[in-house]
Amino acid sequence: MYAHPLSPALPAGSTAIVYCEAQFGEQDGKTANGLVRHSEKYEILSVIDSRHAGVDSGSFLDGSANGIPILASLREALSHAGRIPDYLICGVAPADGLLSDAQRIVLLDGIARGMHIINGLHEFLNDDPEFAAAAVLASVTITDVRRPKEKKDLHLFSGRIFDVTCPRIAVLGTDGAIGKRTTATLLVTALNDRGIRAVMVGTGQTTIIQGGRYGVALDALVPQFCSGEVENQIVAAFEGEDPDIIIVEGQGALSHPAYLTSAHILRGSRPEGVIVQHAPGRRVLGDFPMMPMPTVSAEVALIEAFADTRVIGVTVNHENLTGAQLAAAIDEIELELAVPTTDPLTRPADELVEMVLQAFPALTAAPAFRAA
C-alpha cells in the first residue's frame, strides 16, 4: 500500500478488516476499493465479499497483487487474521448512505467480538440505540466519519484562499465514483517522487478514513459552509506543509443532477487548474441510469464557464474498454480538447506529472524533496 512520504508510520493498534459484501470492485464499494489501494491509517488485513472470495483484492481491482485477500465472511476474516483486529471498517458507500439489515448484522457481530467500527455512511451509528448499546457492552467505539463538526466550529468562505500562493489543482469528473480520488492520490505520489512537494486535500469520507491529514466530508455539511470548509482545509494544508502544489479531490460532477459538491469545491478552492476524470465506456451515470453520461468536452466547457479556471488535462477510467479502445479514447480526447490525456492506472505515472508541469512549468524549478 502507498503511504504518503510526509505521513507518519501506521500507529500501533491499527489493523482492520473491510466489510464490502457484494460490492467490492463496484461503484458502491468505492470506500473498500480505495482502502486496499491506499491507506495511511490502517493496516488492511482482508476484505469481506463472498462473491470474490479467494481472490487477491489488488489483482481483482488492478491486475497487481497487494497481499490483501478477499474472504467470504467475518468468521473467515478473523481466522485469517489469527486474532481480533482492532477495527471493522464499513467499506460500502451506497448512494442513500444507509445500512441494510444484513449489513447491520455483520457490523454488530464485529462489535460483539471486540472490534471498533469505522462508519462512513450518512447513517450515524452512534445515534442508533442498538449499535450504541452494543458498543457500550463490548467497550468499543464507533466512529461516524461523516458526522460534521458543530455549526459554531464550521467556516464560511472568508477569502483566505487568496493568501495561498502555491498552485491548486482540482481533480473533478463527469460522474460519481469514477476514480477522482484514486487519480488525485496517484498524482500526489508521483509529484512527491519527482521532488515536487504535493499535498492532497480530501473532500469525501474515504479519504478521511484512509488517513488523509486534510479533508472534510462535504456531502454531510449544510451547503452554506461547504465552500468555506474547503477553503479552510486548503489554508491549513498550505500553512502546515509549505507545499509546492495542492491537489484537491473532487466529488460527483458539476453536471450531475444529484450532487452540488463540485460547485462548492470550485468556489472554495479557486483552482488554477482542473483535471477531469472521465469514463468513455460508461453510458449512463453510475447510480442514476435514467441519465446519460455527459461528454468530456461538455463537462470541460461547463467547468470553464462556471469558474475562473482552465482544464489542464483529462484522466481516463478504463472500465468497459479494451486496450485498443482505451488507446483510441485517449487519442480522441487529446485531438478534440488539445490537452494531455492519460489513464493513471495503466500508463506511467510520469504522464500525470508532465500534465501538471506543462500547465505549471515553474514547478520544474522546485527544490529537491524536503523531508518533513
Side-chain angles (χ1 to χ4, degrees):
M1 287 177 292
Y2 158 69
H4 193 289
L6 300 182
S7 298
L10 287 171
S14 61
T15 55
I17 292 169
V18 179
Y19 174 68
C20 196
E21 177 58 32
Q23 297 297 333
F24 188 67
E26 305 293 334
Q27 176 161 331
D28 286 354
K30 65 180 182 180
T31 296
N33 303 341
L35 282 166
V36 302
R37 285 176 170 144
H38 168 70
S39 180
E40 299 170 18
K41 192 170 185 179
Y42 304 102
E43 178 189 354
I44 307 301
L45 303 180
S46 62
V47 175
I48 298 172
D49 185 344
S50 61
R51 298 180 314 159
H52 306 297
V55 177
D56 180 274
S57 61
S59 296
F60 178 77
L61 276 184
D62 303 317
S64 178
N66 61 11
I68 302 172
I70 306 174
L71 302 172
S73 65
L74 179 58
R75 179 175 297 179
E76 286 191 20
L78 293 176
S79 176
H80 168 264
R83 63 191 186 283
I84 301 297
D86 303 292
Y87 295 92
L88 179 59
I89 301 175
C90 183
V92 295
D96 62 10
L98 303 176
L99 282 177
S100 69
D101 289 342
Q103 291 165 343
R104 288 177 64 91
I105 289 170
V106 175
L107 295 184
L108 286 166
D109 187 16
I111 289 174
R113 294 172 184 269
M115 303 175 72
H116 303 284
I117 300 296
I118 304 297
N119 167 43
L121 301 177
H122 285 298
E123 182 176 9
F124 299 150
L125 301 185
N126 278 299
D127 295 343
D128 184 301
E130 186 177 16
F131 274 93
V136 169
L137 207 62
S139 298
V140 301
T141 60
I142 298 172
T143 302
D144 292 314
V145 174
R146 262 188 171 129
R147 186 187 291 277
K149 296 179 290 187
E150 296 292 330
K151 288 184 177 62
K152 65 181 178 61
D153 298 320
L154 294 173
H155 297 81
L156 295 170
F157 184 80
S158 68
R160 293 178 68 207
I161 194 70
F162 300 116
D163 297 328
V164 176
T165 56
C166 70
R168 299 171 300 284
I169 295 175
V171 181
L172 304 183
T174 52
D175 193 8
I178 203 169
K180 298 180 290 290
R181 183 192 66 254
T182 297
T183 290
T185 302
L186 292 171
L187 176 56
V188 168
T189 307
L191 288 167
N192 277 294
D193 287 346
R194 287 279 291 268
I196 299 169
R197 188 178 182 123
V199 175
M200 179 170 163
V201 170
T203 54
Q205 77 278 8
T206 301
T207 303
I208 295 170
I209 295 172
Q210 288 172 320
R213 288 186 181 183
Y214 305 97
V216 57
L218 271 189
D219 60 2
L221 293 181
V222 175
Q224 112 183 61
F225 295 107
C226 286
S227 62
E229 281 296 301
V230 171
E231 177 191 46
N232 184 63
Q233 289 299 314
I234 291 171
V235 170
F238 178 67
E239 293 179 347
E241 307 290 342
D242 187 27
D244 299 312
I245 190 167
I246 294 173
I247 308 300
V248 184
E249 173 197 14
Q251 293 292 316
L254 190 59
S255 62
H256 202 293
Y259 307 130
L260 290 174
T261 38
S262 287
H264 298 302
I265 289 166
L266 284 166
R267 289 292 188 247
S269 68
R270 315 285 298 194
E272 286 92 343
V274 171
I275 293 171
V276 176
Q277 179 93 7
H278 181 56
R282 193 180 288 191
R283 300 303 172 206
V284 295
L285 296 179
D287 279 329
F288 300 84
M290 76 296 292
M291 297 295 299
M293 279 284 289
T295 64
V296 67
S297 59
E299 195 72 27
V300 168
L302 181 62
I303 290 167
E304 293 185 339
F306 180 81
D308 182 17
T309 190
R310 60 188 172 122
V311 172
I312 65 168
V314 173
T315 47
V316 174
N317 178 324
H318 59 259
E319 66 180 44
N320 304 321
L321 299 178
T322 65
Q325 289 171 329
L326 173 62
I330 289 173
D331 289 344
E332 181 179 336
I333 292 168
E334 287 191 329
L335 187 63
E336 179 181 12
L337 297 178
V339 295
T341 305
T342 189
D343 175 2
L345 286 173
T346 66
R347 297 206 168 188
D350 277 352
E351 293 188 12
L352 275 177
V353 176
E354 292 306 318
M355 182 184 291
V356 172
L357 294 182
Q358 181 173 312
F360 301 99
L363 288 174
T364 58
F369 179 79
R370 296 166 291 179

